[in-house]
Amino acid sequence: MLSSVAERVYWLGRYLERAENSARLLKIYSAMLFDLPRGSKLDWSTLIDISGSHERYKEHHTSYDEKAVVNFLLGDSKNRNSIFECLVLARENARTSREIIPSEIWEQVNALYYTVKESINPRLGRANRYTLLEEIMAKSQRIEGLFVSSMSHNEAYSFIELGRKLERADMTSRLVDVGSINLFPAFAEKTEHQIIEPYENIIWINVLRCLGGFQAYRQQVHNRVSGNLVVRFLLQDEEFPRAIGFCLSDLAQNLGKLPRNEDVKRAVGRVKRITHEVDVESLLEKGLLEFIDELQISIADIHDEISRIWFTPVNIQNAG
Amino acid sequence: MAINWKSYNPGKFYDELISSPGYPRKAARILTKYLSSLSHEELKERKASIEHAIKSMGISFTVYSEAGNIDRQWPFDLIPRIIPEKEWIPTNEGLKQRQRALNCFIHDVYNDGKIFKDKVLPIELIKKSKNYRKECKGMKPVHEVWANICGTDLIRDADGKFYVLEDNLRVPSGVSYMLENRTVTKRVFPELFENYDIQPITDYPSQLFDTLAAISPIPKDYPEVVVLTPGIFNSAYFEHSFLAQQMGCELVQGSDLVVEDDHVFMKTIEGLAPVDVIYRRIDDQFLDPEVFYPDSALGVPGLMRAWLKGNVGLANAPGAGVADDKVIYTFVPKMIKYYLDEDAILPNVPSYLCIDKKQCQHVLKNLDKLVVKPANESGGYGMLIGPQSTKKERDEFARKIKANPREFMAQPLIALSTSPVLGENTIEPRHIDLRPFCLQAGSSYVTPGGLTRVAMVKGSYVVNSSQGGGSKDTWIVRE
């Protein structure tokens, strides 16, 4: 397949996944904030942290109130990671890949784009927002289902899946980050230890819910929810589709179907090592910051290798 | 209120569906009766569901001037145009005949030049043609066919006869809209398809693929055919990707291709892969920066070398546009006689050539009655429609014609036929034309019907989508 097409459908996978993840995150996060005591360090600004667009946000806003943050993440054209902007790009990539993706997928991507375009407005209330986020998630899942069941599982499909799983692994790593470091210092200073406990659990439960993995965790881990077990589950589990371990083995599987894959496989192997060799207990004590940085850089390396091997024309001319 | 055919009056024009107010033509009776049976609400619903279908299928075209919102939905009218099969059969033959003769002519222009030696057509016309490519001299494409895909614009005059308005031999577009119009109509009026015997058009993409495969330099069952597009900013991008998808071909841009040792390759994830045939949707001048516009980023350096050596098929062949000039057009009936020794089945619209002194005088004297066309523009740009023009415009055209008579020709204003269009509450006549698509390589194929384009503005004669035109589904029906 054409390098340029491979690149387009890879990004199609990434943007669709990013939009769905953001919707998921916004929905669960809103619900969780209502459970936390006032003065919690976990507030709306954390969402901006997770989406990795703090600089951008600060250019246009001074405060972190609910409306401003939600609008920024949902439909702001100044935020290229907003759900709407992701869908604009996903639609553009789908539109320019119509010769290779089934037309019903294009129609559904197009429909999702219009759903969001026609519903976002700065005065969107909480109830309507909830409905919209649910709809984005449902329609995204329909699209994912169509890919699985109506598209040939060919090379183009593998590139879509690479994009999707890489994006997903990245998102899960961000959520692991939120679940741990942001909260502890703030609560340790302000409150008694026994008060922290129930909230600590609430946060981890919500992280799991955000990934749709609460039940899976319960079934697989057979234990009460606790930080180190959740982190291990999200990093290493190979059965739950939103755990990084699962994403990595899925990446490896799709890589197997593509030519000249050695360097990318090696990059995936490095991430696998990082997630498996980590000592979760001591990590949670000293904070995850460094570890998450290392993890995210190694995930980004996979992208760089994919791009170098398959998308860059210079490389191809050398190979030819 | 529902549709009342008695209040629909196209006046002096030939109408495709009715012969006089309240009297539908035979082939249109089921349709008109069916439409009158729908209530106002039902019609509104059907109209809304069409708009929804067009939006959800993402049928769009692009308008250059609308920065920011480049992707516009396709304007479509739900009342189909009906042409009885018995009227279509000779038209179909006429179109094939015309394409054959035009291809003989183009081949002759770049090879022996017999038609000039025999003084049927003055060679000066070619020497001054903007679309003559000296680089193509001596080239012999597979089957000696240069214009494999041809979009011929037909109109009906008040007498109800079809005339050829122009031949589009460079990169004619619109076929995807023809196909999508049918899909939309099937979604919205499934009932009608039970009661009519309508010729199907769905096999166009496979016919197109077979035509392209037939010009592969190395005969193969499945040669590597690609569609070359200028990219998403082109007004016909939707069509390029649609056709690539329907044919199961790669859609490529110039940057996806590379020429090595005079062979064309595409850049794939496995390295370079050979290309046999390119269905190019970019103009000659942008094809190869080594030969034509040096700063064209749309083309492929070395493409012309590869083609001239016979290592890749190009459709349409570079230089084919030499016959798509509106001055050359006036000679097509003579070409048919000269090359095929047949009489033209489809007549031309009567035309005046400004290079002929006498005819030019006539044109200048009658600018307020004639339509003046530049020889080499398409898309309805640069025309003067005399009866609708101002004095200032006419003076300007008179100056232009005198300065450069080779670049202009004129025709009487044809009373384009009309067909009913559904408005908010009423049906109203609008002017239309018809663009069938003709394929030729080893054999010939013509789409049954074609794309009917509609001037959506009342009284307007301009049907081009770039100028606000719309379209209709077109049915060839057996009565």
Side-chain angles (χ1 to χ4, degrees):
Chain A
M1 76 182 298
L2 284 178
S3 293
S4 57
V5 174
E7 184 168 12
R8 247 180 271 141
V9 295
Y10 167 83
W11 280 108
L12 171 62
R14 283 202 82 145
Y15 286 127
L16 284 172
E17 181 72 18
R18 192 174 295 175
E20 184 191 342
N21 286 340
S22 306
R24 224 168 238 290
L25 184 64
L26 258 178
K27 184 187 137 197
I28 303 294
Y29 205 86
S30 310
M32 174 171 74
L33 279 190
F34 305 138
D35 279 348
L36 289 178
R38 253 169 248 203
S40 146
K41 190 91 193 229
L42 209 58
D43 58 16
W44 290 102
S45 73
T46 317
L47 272 181
I48 304 288
D49 280 335
I50 304 174
S51 77
S53 28
H54 228 130
E55 295 302 309
R56 205 38 33 144
Y57 187 84
K58 277 194 284 190
E59 280 171 30
H60 303 280
H61 301 275
T62 46
S63 71
Y64 293 95
D65 61 285
E66 178 177 349
K67 275 224 159 93
V69 169
V70 170
N71 283 335
F72 184 75
L73 295 176
L74 196 53
D76 198 326
S77 59
K78 293 184 228 54
N79 173 16
R80 66 187 167 82
N81 285 329
S82 75
I83 293 178
F84 181 63
E85 286 302 305
C86 284
L87 291 176
V88 168
L89 293 169
R91 176 174 182 265
E92 204 54 30
N93 281 315
R95 187 164 86 88
T96 49
S97 312
R98 282 167 80 163
E99 73 281 9
I100 56 152
I101 60 170
S103 38
E104 57 261 58
I105 294 185
W106 151 250
E107 289 187 20
Q108 290 303 325
V109 172
N110 194 34
L112 174 57
Y113 162 84
Y114 278 112
T115 301
V116 178
K117 187 184 164 132
E118 282 156 14
S119 328
I120 43 171
N121 76 67
R123 286 180 306 281
L124 192 70
R126 274 184 188 157
N128 289 336
R129 185 210 304 163
Y130 187 86
T131 318
L132 175 61
L133 294 172
E134 289 266 283
E135 203 174 346
I136 294 171
M137 287 164 57
K139 288 191 171 163
S140 299
Q141 282 153 16
R142 185 190 295 176
I143 293 167
E144 190 180 353
L146 277 172
F147 273 117
V148 175
S149 64
S150 80
M151 183 165 175
S152 289
H153 288 206
N154 52 16
E155 287 174 336
Y157 178 81
S158 287
F159 276 103
I160 292 166
E161 285 305 298
L162 290 185
R164 192 182 276 287
K165 297 297 165 21
L166 207 53
E167 183 69 31
R168 190 176 287 176
D170 181 67
M171 184 60 166
T172 302
S173 77
R174 285 162 197 265
L175 281 171
V176 170
D177 194 14
V178 180
S180 52
I181 59 160
N182 278 5
L183 195 67
F184 291 120
F187 274 76
E189 283 160 24
K190 285 184 187 165
T191 36
E192 296 293 322
H193 193 75
Q194 60 268 42
I195 303 178
I196 300 173
E197 276 239 320
Y199 292 120
E200 184 200 336
N201 282 349
I202 280 174
I203 288 161
W204 284 116
I205 287 167
N206 278 296
V207 164
L208 285 171
R209 284 226 172 99
C210 182
L211 295 168
F214 185 61
Q215 270 183 310
Y217 171 87
R218 267 285 149 86
Q219 287 159 4
Q220 262 147 266
V221 184
H222 296 299
N223 208 323
R224 63 188 289 272
V225 175
S226 78
N228 59 349
L229 291 176
V230 175
V231 172
R232 192 170 289 144
F233 175 72
L234 292 180
L235 290 180
Q236 299 170 354
D237 191 81
E238 296 204 359
E239 291 175 3
F240 176 62
R242 289 185 183 271
I244 294 176
F246 178 95
C247 293
L248 294 175
S249 43
D250 193 82
L251 281 173
Q253 218 171 39
N254 278 299
L255 285 174
K257 296 180 194 161
L258 297 172
R260 307 190 294 141
N261 57 18
E262 301 77 14
D263 291 0
V264 189
K265 271 185 171 166
R266 219 165 293 137
V268 172
R270 273 197 296 278
V271 181
K272 197 155 199 173
R273 231 172 10 257
I274 292 170
T275 53
H276 275 266
E277 287 170 3
V278 65
D279 172 3
V280 177
E281 277 79 9
S282 71
L283 203 62
L284 279 171
E285 265 163 42
K286 65 178 171 48
L288 287 173
L289 193 62
E290 263 173 54
F291 171 75
I292 295 288
D293 270 355
E294 190 193 358
L295 179 59
Q296 291 197 337
I297 287 168
S298 67
I299 290 175
D301 282 344
I302 302 179
H303 165 77
D304 291 344
E305 287 296 291
I306 290 175
S307 165
R308 184 177 67 84
I309 301 288
W310 290 307
F311 304 159
T312 320
V314 180
N315 166 270
I316 278 164
Q317 269 165 16
N318 292 342
Chain B
M1 212 199 70
I3 291 176
N4 176 4
W5 290 96
K6 283 191 183 121
S7 64
Y8 172 78
N9 187 0
K12 61 175 176 163
F13 301 103
Y14 179 91
D15 190 84
E16 302 285 337
L17 294 193
I18 65 155
S19 50
S20 61
Y23 293 93
R25 296 184 189 281
K26 195 174 156 211
R29 275 176 208 155
I30 302 174
L31 171 69
T32 51
K33 202 171 152 198
Y34 170 77
L35 288 173
S36 338
S37 76
L38 298 175
S39 69
H40 177 61
E41 282 66 36
E42 281 173 308
L43 274 171
K44 243 173 109 173
E45 250 169 50
R46 301 292 169 115
K47 214 176 163 184
S49 84
I50 280 195
E51 271 149 30
H52 177 77
I54 287 181
K55 192 169 160 186
S56 72
M57 288 160 75
I59 309 172
S60 61
F61 72 106
T62 310
V63 177
Y64 286 102
S65 53
E66 277 182 51
N69 183 18
I70 55 163
D71 194 20
R72 263 220 321 221
Q73 275 150 38
W74 178 246
F76 173 78
D77 177 71
L78 57 75
I79 304 176
R81 172 207 197 152
I82 294 181
I83 301 171
E85 191 183 50
K86 65 175 192 306
E87 283 176 35
W88 184 251
I89 291 166
T91 312
N92 175 58
E93 285 313 304
L95 289 164
K96 285 183 179 169
Q97 176 197 50
R98 198 170 170 100
Q99 190 180 17
R100 278 205 312 277
L102 283 164
N103 274 311
C104 291
F105 171 69
I106 304 167
H107 195 70
D108 196 18
V109 166
Y110 292 112
N111 286 280
D112 305 333
K114 282 186 273 187
I115 198 167
F116 310 117
K117 288 173 196 151
D118 292 335
K119 305 227 178 329
V120 179
L121 202 145
I123 195 162
E124 289 69 33
L125 284 185
I126 296 303
K127 285 184 177 158
K128 286 183 188 161
S129 167
K130 270 192 199 164
N131 291 315
Y132 175 75
R133 306 270 171 260
K134 58 181 191 316
E135 297 82 3
C136 300
K137 231 172 148 6
M139 180 62 187
K140 291 181 170 55
V142 180
H143 303 295
E144 301 188 350
V145 172
W146 293 65
N148 303 100
I149 300 111
C150 171
T152 311
D153 290 345
L154 300 178
I155 52 169
R156 276 206 224 236
D157 199 355
D159 59 7
K161 254 168 68 179
F162 278 115
Y163 292 84
V164 178
L165 187 64
E166 57 184 64
D167 306 287
N168 295 284
L169 307 174
R170 284 173 282 179
V171 284
S173 64
V175 76
S176 59
Y177 301 115
M178 172 191 85
L179 295 168
E180 293 286 60
N181 285 354
R182 177 64 53 87
T183 311
V184 171
T185 311
K186 280 184 187 166
R187 277 199 193 188
V188 182
F189 288 140
E191 311 92 322
L192 280 171
F193 285 80
E194 286 168 23
N195 298 321
Y196 267 112
D197 201 353
I198 306 163
Q199 285 200 16
I201 50 174
T202 33
D203 68 332
Y204 179 80
S206 54
Q207 295 283 353
L208 176 61
F209 182 86
D210 291 346
T211 303
L212 294 168
I215 64 163
S216 169
I218 309 156
K220 295 178 190 170
D221 281 345
Y222 292 98
E224 189 69 62
V225 176
V226 301
V227 179
L228 175 61
T229 172
I232 59 164
F233 296 105
N234 185 272
S235 58
Y237 179 79
F238 166 80
E239 171 154 312
H240 307 158
S241 71
F242 177 89
L243 290 174
Q245 182 199 36
Q246 297 285 314
M247 291 193 291
C249 296
E250 298 284 1
L251 177 67
V252 303
Q253 299 194 19
S255 56
D256 292 317
L257 299 179
V258 62
V259 175
E260 277 183 10
D261 300 327
D262 300 333
H263 285 79
V264 182
F265 297 90
M266 56 183 172
K267 300 167 186 171
T268 77
I269 56 166
E270 295 180 68
L272 297 182
V275 172
D276 299 309
V277 179
I278 301 173
Y279 177 28
R280 52 99 174 197
R281 297 294 299 256
I282 63 181
D283 287 328
D284 284 359
Q285 302 280 31
F286 295 92
L287 273 180
D288 181 350
E290 283 181 9
V291 179
F292 302 117
Y293 293 159
D295 27 348
S296 164
L298 302 177
V300 188
L303 184 55
M304 281 298 281
R305 265 187 284 130
W307 179 67
L308 289 167
K309 289 212 167 162
N311 293 333
V312 70
L314 271 178
N316 288 344
V322 71
D324 148 321
D325 174 309
K326 291 188 181 67
V327 173
I328 301 295
Y329 154 89
T330 60
F331 290 90
V332 177
K334 284 184 184 167
M335 286 176 200
I336 294 172
K337 189 82 201 157
Y338 181 76
Y339 292 112
L340 309 178
D341 195 23
E342 291 170 15
D343 290 322
I345 302 170
L346 284 170
N348 269 10
V349 172
S351 308
Y352 305 99
L353 286 180
C354 297
I355 32 163
D356 180 293
K357 274 211 180 106
K358 249 168 102 185
Q359 293 182 35
C360 191
Q361 283 307 321
H362 176 83
V363 171
L364 290 169
K365 254 188 243 159
N366 294 287
L367 277 179
D368 57 336
K369 297 185 194 74
L370 297 170
V371 177
V372 183
K373 293 179 175 179
N376 283 304
E377 289 285 345
S378 60
Y381 293 103
M383 281 186 353
L384 175 82
I385 299 178
Q388 295 166 11
S389 64
T390 62
K391 173 95 170 58
K392 201 178 143 210
E393 286 167 338
R394 289 195 293 276
D395 289 348
E396 199 193 316
F397 261 81
R399 236 189 344 269
K400 282 198 214 163
I401 293 170
K402 283 178 200 156
N404 212 342
R406 165 66 180 85
E407 287 306 307
F408 294 93
M409 58 89 87
Q411 293 168 337
L413 184 65
I414 302 285
L416 292 189
S417 63
T418 58
S419 199
V421 166
L422 186 66
E424 276 309 310
N425 286 307
T426 51
I427 39 167
E428 289 182 31
R430 290 288 182 272
H431 294 295
I432 57 171
D433 78 350
L434 178 65
R435 177 179 286 183
F437 296 87
C438 315
L439 303 175
Q440 187 193 347
S443 55
S444 291
Y445 169 85
V446 176
T447 53
L451 177 68
T452 290
R453 299 186 298 178
V454 186
M456 297 299 265
V457 178
K458 191 174 185 173
S460 167
Y461 277 38
V462 185
V463 296
N464 307 80
S465 61
S466 50
Q467 316 254 330
S471 75
K472 280 172 170 293
D473 190 12
T474 308
W475 295 357
I476 304 298
V477 301
R478 194 165 296 144
E479 287 169 282

